[in-house]
Amino acid sequence: MADGRNIGHIVALEGGVADVRFPGPLPEIGNHLVALSDPEIDIEVATLPSADTARGLVLNPSPELRLGLAVHDTGRPLTVPVGEGLLGRMLNLFGDTIDNKEPLANLPRRSIHGGVVPLAKRRVESEIFETGIKAIDLLSPLEKGGKAGLFGGAGVGKTVLITEMIHNTVAEYEGICLFCGIGERCREAEELYREMEAAKVLDRTIMVFGQMHESPGIRFRVGHAALTMAEFFRDDLRRNVLVLVDNIFRFVQAGSEVSGLLGRMPSRVGYQPTLGTELADLEERICSTDKGTMTSIQAVYVPADDFTDPAATHTFSHLSASIVLSRKKASEGIYPAIDPLTSFSKMLTPGTVSDRHYTVARAVRNTLAEYEELKDIIAMLGLEELSEKDRAVVKRARRLERFLTQPFFSTEKMTGNPGTFVRLEDTLTSCERILADEFADRPESDFYMIGTVDDLERDQAGTGTKTDAA
């Protein structure tokens, strides 16, 4: 002990792991250690390998890190500030501002390791969280107070889709929006901040980032820090909270790096043996209570488009809706590249959604499934060899496929097409009219990148020729 503080010294360094020997009592697992250096170096205790040694993850290594460096045990876990003063700010894991504005006022702090809400205190919602994106609201409706995942490989549009959801939902959402960037590129963080500011929703938004270049310990813990802030607004201020995460796979990846640094034996496909537990510790904190709802939309990178990858399969089990993005759809020019036959939502059941919604969604899915089965025959024999009934199904399905594309607000500058927000009722009406073959005389290309079928009637004079998707 020195000055009443529990002081130890670093006796071993390997990668991002430090062994600290304490002559006095050992710190607990999860405690926050601070090196007595300038700048300060933060270490989180991960294991206790011997009776006098704590092994921890170095969160912000610097050239000052060396053997023999004195380390102070704070006696508590990592904490982050909570309160309304966070609104409109961009923060890191430690709650420090990274938006070049004035530092935060003195705010109360809480441990990043929040407890899971008991089942008896949870509340289940049966209300749709409308996004204004036709393909999602029709075929994979999100649950208010639930968790939704956007699954896809590299370059199929996960970040664009989650940015569009932010644009569409935050402006109308009567609550707090918290964006958590795990392993984000610096460019994406900066662009998102500017978009939030332009949309005039920054005053109800908090952004927390553990960026790509930072240590695995920071990327592993930033999700927990963000949820601590979200829980404060839900439980203490009784506000509804929308949590957006990009990207959950980076959390799993950081956990794998941490596990390797600590010398644990890898499990299937090289992931950490504790993958399921670590993911559950994060995901199970996202829930609704009698005090407020917490809705989450998460992007999930799928390595090599392999949906049997453990990171993807473990994430699937926690979600109420899964939106699968297809590289094949993207290559055909279908944007958003949502695969309607592999995406699902537990909300799309009779009694949860309206009878009309269920009937239309089922009819659309069946039509697209029939078309998928006929594709092999078309490829071998040609469309002309199909029966008249099957040809009608194919034409109907191709119109629906193109109708479910949508111009986004977030891509207006790149495409030149103004974005559209489509109400669920308008989507249902449009699909009913397409299924009834009201537009059998219109070419398929007319349905590409429109809002509702009312746009077809406005374009009757032939203005605004649309590009056909392959």
Side-chain angles (χ1 to χ4, degrees):
M1 293 279 185
D3 301 328
R5 297 185 296 177
N6 190 12
I7 302 288
H9 293 83
I10 295 177
V11 294
L13 281 170
E14 186 173 353
V17 174
D19 284 2
V20 185
R21 184 170 292 151
F22 286 87
L26 271 181
E28 297 179 8
I29 290 177
N31 269 19
H32 179 199
L33 311 181
V34 179
L36 303 180
S37 60
D38 186 19
E40 290 184 344
I41 299 170
D42 300 279
I43 302 171
E44 185 186 42
V45 178
T47 61
L48 302 174
S50 69
D52 62 352
T53 305
R55 180 169 293 159
L57 294 166
V58 181
L59 301 177
N60 51 351
S62 80
E64 291 295 312
L65 186 64
R66 64 186 185 277
L67 294 176
L69 184 64
V71 175
H72 162 229
D73 174 20
T74 64
R76 53 175 171 72
L78 285 164
T79 61
V80 289
V82 294
E84 292 190 327
L86 300 178
L87 295 173
R89 304 308 300 269
M90 186 187 285
L91 312 163
N92 63 13
L93 167 67
F94 306 105
D96 302 323
T97 57
I98 53 174
D99 52 12
N100 292 327
K101 295 182 180 178
E102 67 278 359
L104 291 172
N106 291 326
L107 293 173
R109 299 182 73 94
R110 288 192 180 174
S111 165
I112 66 170
H113 302 287
V116 175
V117 177
L119 287 175
K121 294 185 178 180
R122 296 192 179 206
R123 187 178 71 189
V124 178
E125 298 278 329
S126 294
E127 190 178 339
I128 288 179
F129 186 82
E130 198 168 327
T131 65
I133 300 170
K134 294 180 288 188
I136 294 176
D137 291 341
L138 175 66
L139 299 171
S140 301
L142 309 189
E143 176 188 15
K144 188 174 281 187
K147 296 187 277 280
L150 310 177
F151 290 83
V156 294
K158 296 182 301 300
T159 299
V160 171
L161 192 54
I162 205 166
T163 304
E164 184 70 7
M165 286 186 172
I166 291 170
H167 183 281
N168 288 2
T169 57
V170 173
E172 298 196 6
Y173 187 70
E174 296 176 0
I176 302 301
C177 175
L178 190 146
F179 181 89
C180 177
I182 305 176
E184 280 288 277
R185 301 171 184 86
C186 300
R187 167 183 57 79
E188 291 173 340
E190 194 269 339
E191 284 175 357
L192 179 66
Y193 183 84
R194 281 192 285 109
E195 284 171 11
M196 293 287 210
E197 201 167 30
K200 295 182 171 54
V201 294
L202 198 57
D203 61 333
R204 291 189 290 111
T205 305
I206 304 167
M207 283 174 274
V208 188
F209 290 97
Q211 291 172 222
M212 188 174 277
H213 69 280
E214 296 187 274
S215 71
I218 282 184
R219 287 180 275 120
F220 185 61
R221 287 303 184 200
V222 70
H224 297 277
L227 288 182
T228 295
M229 298 174 191
E231 287 163 349
F232 172 82
F233 283 97
R234 181 196 64 192
D235 298 336
D236 292 57
L237 301 186
R238 295 177 176 266
R239 303 282 294 274
N240 295 332
V241 185
L242 173 62
V243 178
L244 300 131
V245 185
D246 189 6
N247 185 303
I248 281 291
F249 174 78
R250 303 295 176 201
F251 166 77
V252 174
Q253 192 177 46
S256 180
E257 291 180 52
V258 165
S259 181
L261 287 170
L262 295 173
R264 294 176 186 147
M265 187 71 71
S267 184
R268 185 180 161 216
V269 201
Y271 286 107
Q272 63 271 39
T274 52
L275 188 158
T277 305
E278 290 168 359
L279 190 59
D281 283 344
L282 185 75
E283 294 281 6
E284 289 304 299
R285 291 174 66 179
I286 303 171
C287 66
S288 297
T289 69
D290 53 359
K291 296 176 180 177
T293 63
M294 190 186 292
T295 306
S296 177
I297 302 170
Q298 309 168 9
V300 187
Y301 167 67
V302 180
D305 293 338
D306 179 11
F307 285 87
T308 64
D309 187 271
T313 55
H314 279 81
T315 307
F316 268 121
S317 62
H318 292 281
L319 305 174
S320 55
S322 294
I323 298 148
V324 177
L325 301 179
S326 160
R327 192 171 303 282
K328 186 168 179 287
K329 295 281 184 191
S331 67
E332 293 172 351
I334 305 294
Y335 291 105
I338 294 170
D339 188 335
L341 302 181
T342 53
S343 302
F344 83 94
S345 169
K346 73 173 190 179
M347 293 291 286
L348 197 58
T349 55
T352 306
V353 297
S354 67
D355 291 341
R356 181 190 178 206
H357 184 174
Y358 180 73
T359 302
V360 172
R362 188 173 177 182
V364 169
R365 198 185 293 269
N366 287 347
T367 303
L368 295 172
E370 284 184 59
Y371 174 45
E372 193 66 31
E373 290 175 3
L374 292 168
K375 278 183 177 178
D376 288 340
I377 299 174
I378 296 169
M380 290 186 291
L381 303 176
L383 186 63
E384 296 75 18
E385 295 301 316
L386 296 179
S387 67
E388 189 175 334
K389 179 185 175 185
D390 285 345
R391 282 203 300 272
V393 167
V394 169
K395 290 177 181 177
R396 201 176 298 134
R398 288 175 67 87
R399 288 191 185 96
L400 285 169
E401 199 172 50
R402 281 147 184 75
F403 172 71
L404 291 176
T405 62
Q406 188 167 340
F408 282 174
F409 293 100
S410 55
T411 58
E412 279 183 0
K413 292 178 182 176
M414 292 174 276
T415 63
N417 294 329
T420 58
F421 182 101
V422 184
R423 294 285 177 193
L424 176 59
E425 285 298 310
D426 296 332
T427 301
L428 295 176
T429 301
S430 297
C431 288
E432 284 172 337
R433 295 178 68 183
I434 294 171
L435 288 165
D437 290 332
E438 279 191 36
F439 304 97
D441 58 329
R442 300 295 294 261
E444 296 162 3
S445 59
D446 285 2
F447 294 83
Y448 184 67
M449 288 294 171
I450 63 172
T452 67
V453 290
D454 293 339
D455 295 345
L456 294 176
E457 293 162 354
R458 282 194 286 270
D459 291 341
Q460 194 71 41
T463 58
T465 304
K466 296 177 176 62
T467 304
D468 193 6

